Amino acid sequence: MRDLFRQAQMPTPELDARLLAEGAFAMRRLELINREREPVPQDGLERLRSFGERRLRGEPVARILGAKEFWGLEFSLNAATLVPRPETELLVERGRSLVSGLEDVSILDLGTGTGCIPIALLYELPQAQALAIDIAEQALEAAQANAERHGVAARFRSRHGSWFSPLAPGEKFDLIISNPPYIETEVIGTLSEEVKTFDPARALDGGADGLTAYREIAADAARFLKPTGVLLLEIGAGQGAAVTQILREGGYDNIAVEVDLSGHQRMVVAFPDDPQ
């Protein structure tokens, strides 16, 4: 399988083959090594062949296995969820730093998908409660299952709807966080096969200029933030100035664009006027 992947010029043939083998035979890497001289179970071999064929057609390894590691935790996927990206871990890290000193923390995650962002935060913050919103009911099913899997279901709630629509007047949060769709509509067709074919389009498409979701979030977020609450948004490369302007028009003055380890713009943080 590794050699087939090499011939197909896949970027990580050795890693892909190993991960698919682990999934096909339900073994971790060390067990595969220790048992490499044993006869291969026929059912496992058939699964591996099927996995390999799907990978050669461009399906991501995480989609084939139905799970992806994020923040050291494994998250189940389905057709309505994005595959969690490593760069989004920076959003979790920054969110944790913003609220870790509070005794009680209320978190709102917009467009939760697998629930990876709020679940990772709950895993790190035992004093926190999280509400996750998504327009796709199937995504909320995955998020709820992931919360149960990682032992935070008692502090995790979910609601179905678009952005703030499921909230009642007066609900307030210390942290509103989101990794919204931010890819320009016309760009989606140029993305890798793994993304444009297998990720849900609704979770990618940010409208003609990639900024539609930010406008919707900026229009209403202030109504649901506590006086010292913080809005934290992941952004696409080069979107910092545009998102900053959108937030200014939404009534925010204290805004910071933050970069990832490669120096690329990755997050926008909107603080209250007088943070405490």
Side-chain angles (χ1 to χ4, degrees):
M1 181 170 292
R2 176 203 62 199
D3 294 343
L4 286 171
F5 290 171
R6 283 177 177 170
Q7 291 171 18
Q9 298 184 331
M10 291 186 170
T12 55
E14 295 85 359
L15 176 62
D16 290 2
R18 176 174 64 79
L19 291 174
L20 292 178
E22 290 179 7
F25 300 120
M27 297 179 186
R28 291 295 186 183
R29 182 180 185 183
L30 184 59
E31 190 176 5
L32 281 174
I33 294 171
N34 289 338
R35 299 178 62 180
E36 65 182 0
R37 297 187 180 277
E38 296 181 20
V40 177
Q42 187 61 33
D43 59 344
L45 184 59
E46 291 173 359
R47 277 194 300 274
L48 185 59
R49 284 175 176 156
S50 174
F51 287 174
E53 290 171 357
R54 291 168 64 182
R55 185 70 189 105
L56 287 167
R57 291 195 295 268
E59 189 171 353
V61 170
R63 291 277 177 208
I64 295 168
L65 298 178
K68 176 70 174 179
E69 185 176 299
F70 178 88
W71 200 259
L73 308 170
E74 193 169 82
F75 287 84
S76 297
L77 311 172
N78 62 33
T81 62
L82 281 176
V83 175
R85 270 52 167 185
E87 56 267 26
T88 301
E89 292 186 352
L90 294 174
L91 203 67
V92 174
E93 184 177 346
R94 188 69 174 101
R96 178 180 62 175
S97 74
L98 289 166
V99 299
S100 60
L102 301 179
E103 291 186 5
D104 297 301
V105 179
S106 54
I107 299 167
L108 174 64
D109 180 40
L110 300 170
T112 197
T114 61
C116 62
I117 293 172
I119 290 169
L121 285 168
L122 292 177
Y123 191 81
E124 295 292 336
L125 299 167
Q127 77 278 28
Q129 304 272 340
L131 173 61
I133 292 175
D134 203 288
I135 199 170
E137 291 189 76
Q138 190 178 6
L140 294 177
E141 291 172 4
Q144 190 64 49
N146 286 322
E148 293 169 2
R149 179 178 194 171
H150 296 301
V152 299
R155 296 182 288 126
F156 179 87
R157 297 173 295 140
S158 63
R159 293 181 196 168
H160 175 241
S162 176
W163 306 121
F164 299 97
S165 63
L167 297 180
E171 290 189 88
K172 302 284 185 178
F173 300 89
D174 296 294
L175 175 64
I176 296 178
I177 193 166
S178 182
N179 177 19
Y182 53 70
I183 300 173
E184 297 173 14
T185 302
E186 65 179 15
V187 172
I188 292 175
T190 70
L191 300 177
S192 69
E193 195 70 27
E194 294 188 8
V195 176
K196 68 182 180 183
T197 301
F198 295 99
D199 273 337
R202 187 161 56 184
L204 299 172
D205 193 342
D209 60 359
L211 301 172
T212 299
Y214 299 105
R215 293 188 184 94
E216 297 194 34
I217 292 171
D220 288 319
R223 293 195 295 119
F224 298 101
L225 276 172
K226 293 181 180 179
T228 56
V230 183
L231 177 64
L232 177 59
L233 305 173
E234 183 167 329
I235 60 172
Q239 291 182 326
V243 174
T244 296
Q245 182 59 33
I246 289 169
L247 289 170
R248 283 203 179 107
E249 292 171 359
Y252 294 88
D253 294 319
N254 194 346
I255 303 165
V257 177
E258 302 188 3
V259 300
D260 60 22
L261 298 177
S262 300
H264 299 131
Q265 294 180 348
R266 181 58 58 191
M267 295 174 279
V268 172
V269 187
F271 298 93
D273 291 340
D274 297 303
Q276 299 179 6

